Amino acid sequence: MDDLKGFLDEKVMLFNQPSFIENDPISIPHRFSKLQDIEISGFFAAVLAWGQRKTIINKSLELMDMMGNSPYDFVLNHSEDELKQLMKFKHRTFNDLDTLYFIDFFSRYYRENHSLEQAFSIGFTPDIDVMEALLTNFHDNFFQSPDAPQRTRKHVATPKKKSACKRINMFLRWMVRKDNMGVDFGLWDKIAPSQLICPCDLHVDRIGRSLGLIRRKQTDWLTAMELTRNLRAFDAVDPVKYDFALFGLGVLQNEEKTGLK
């Protein structure tokens, strides 16, 4: 285990660098400096994060351009004509109806709240495993409107449906983790980095299994919890920093630039 920790620590240092930003969806919120712009653009980029990273980035940029590259101002002050322009947006199964509901939620939410952090803090406790409750409560709050389309619910995962919640956990890593490397933002203070759950995407899942950090056969919420608990043995304060190592190794393996089998 000491050897594995040393190996992963080395890979965290390799991948948790500003050079990581350009080719990752986190590059979208890095285009902004205002808190609310970072939150809105980051949430969209995370939710749209399936498929090739280049495509995810391009589609996210397209959506930001439709919002005048000022997402916070857009959700609060858009006209009906500007809203209609968003009906042209589509990414895989995320369509115009989903986009409009997301805008509707943000419009209602930011008229009453300063930061999206409050929405992810409903039911917060200091318990190390609080994230299951927080993500469930966020999902329920996000779709509390009677006008929420049933089809849109699939785009915001919840542990209640046993999802690994990869995209939401990735977004929370961006917002919560704090270090001096310049990749993650560390803008939120309520949730501690120790409470985060590792985003369990295909790369992380594959490498986690190859290293013995995941033994559960399927990939679901319990798998993400299993992986995170094993990572806490390496760093109880900041376990999700190892997302950089596992994801980066997975990308390198795909590119056949590593001998990891």
Side-chain angles (χ1 to χ4, degrees):
M1 291 296 286
D2 287 343
D3 288 345
L4 180 54
K5 172 177 167 49
F7 172 74
L8 292 177
D9 283 340
E10 178 185 319
K11 299 308 177 186
V12 171
M13 292 298 296
L14 175 64
F15 296 114
N16 184 17
Q17 298 286 340
S19 58
F20 177 88
I21 295 171
E22 181 180 359
N23 297 314
D24 189 81
I26 201 173
S27 62
I28 302 303
H30 268 289
R31 294 169 61 88
F32 302 97
S33 57
K34 184 183 294 184
L35 169 66
Q36 295 86 357
D37 283 334
I38 292 170
E39 292 176 341
I40 296 168
S41 65
F43 191 81
F44 270 117
V47 168
L48 297 175
W50 77 97
Q52 294 184 345
R53 284 196 291 170
K54 183 177 180 179
T55 301
I56 296 164
I57 292 169
N58 286 339
K59 294 302 292 187
S60 297
L61 289 174
E62 177 186 335
L63 181 58
M64 291 302 104
D65 187 59
M66 288 180 172
M67 289 192 277
N69 289 304
S70 300
Y72 181 54
D73 180 68
F74 184 91
V75 300
L76 292 181
N77 301 307
H78 58 265
S79 67
E80 285 299 314
D81 286 342
E82 289 171 329
L83 204 59
K84 287 178 183 177
Q85 291 297 312
L86 293 186
M87 297 182 69
K88 301 175 183 178
F89 183 78
K90 179 179 174 60
H91 174 56
R92 301 182 71 142
T93 64
F94 192 93
N95 69 11
D96 55 347
L97 191 64
D98 307 316
T99 306
L100 293 178
Y101 182 75
F102 273 50
I103 297 296
D104 177 66
F105 169 81
F106 285 131
S107 179
R108 289 182 285 109
Y109 180 83
Y110 279 108
R111 292 182 194 282
E112 298 182 358
N113 300 275
H114 174 71
S115 168
L116 198 57
E117 181 176 17
Q118 285 95 324
F120 279 99
S121 302
I122 300 170
F124 177 83
T125 72
D127 186 84
I128 192 66
D129 289 327
V130 71
M131 292 308 303
E132 181 172 351
L134 296 188
L135 295 194
T136 299
N137 292 340
F138 173 78
H139 180 274
D140 293 345
N141 181 57
F142 193 89
F143 293 108
Q144 69 176 347
S145 169
D147 298 323
Q150 187 64 35
R151 60 154 284 120
T152 305
R153 294 175 180 271
K154 67 184 177 183
H155 294 299
V156 180
T158 170
K160 188 161 54 178
K161 294 190 176 181
K162 300 182 179 181
S163 170
C165 300
K166 182 266 290 189
R167 298 179 187 93
I168 297 296
N169 284 325
M170 181 176 68
F171 172 72
L172 289 174
R173 193 205 86 201
W174 297 351
M175 297 296 106
V176 172
R177 273 200 73 251
K178 296 172 173 63
D179 60 25
N180 60 359
M181 302 309 297
V183 182
D184 291 330
F185 291 90
L187 294 172
W188 296 355
D189 296 317
K190 187 78 170 182
I191 301 167
S194 60
Q195 294 174 306
L196 293 173
I197 302 299
C198 190
C200 204
D201 78 337
L202 291 175
H203 295 301
V204 171
D205 183 85
R206 185 175 69 252
I207 300 301
R209 292 179 187 281
S210 72
L211 296 176
L213 298 171
I214 298 174
R215 299 195 182 278
R216 186 171 171 79
K217 290 185 178 180
Q218 60 266 57
T219 299
D220 56 14
W221 179 254
L222 292 180
T223 308
M225 290 291 293
E226 176 191 16
L227 172 61
T228 302
R229 285 169 179 156
N230 284 327
L231 295 177
R232 285 175 184 157
F234 299 144
D235 189 334
V237 175
D238 188 17
V240 175
K241 72 181 184 183
Y242 293 108
D243 182 31
F244 286 103
L246 299 175
F247 179 81
L249 287 167
V251 171
L252 286 181
Q253 187 183 65
N254 270 3
E255 296 173 349
E256 299 181 346
K257 293 181 179 177
T258 176
L260 185 62
K261 301 297 183 181

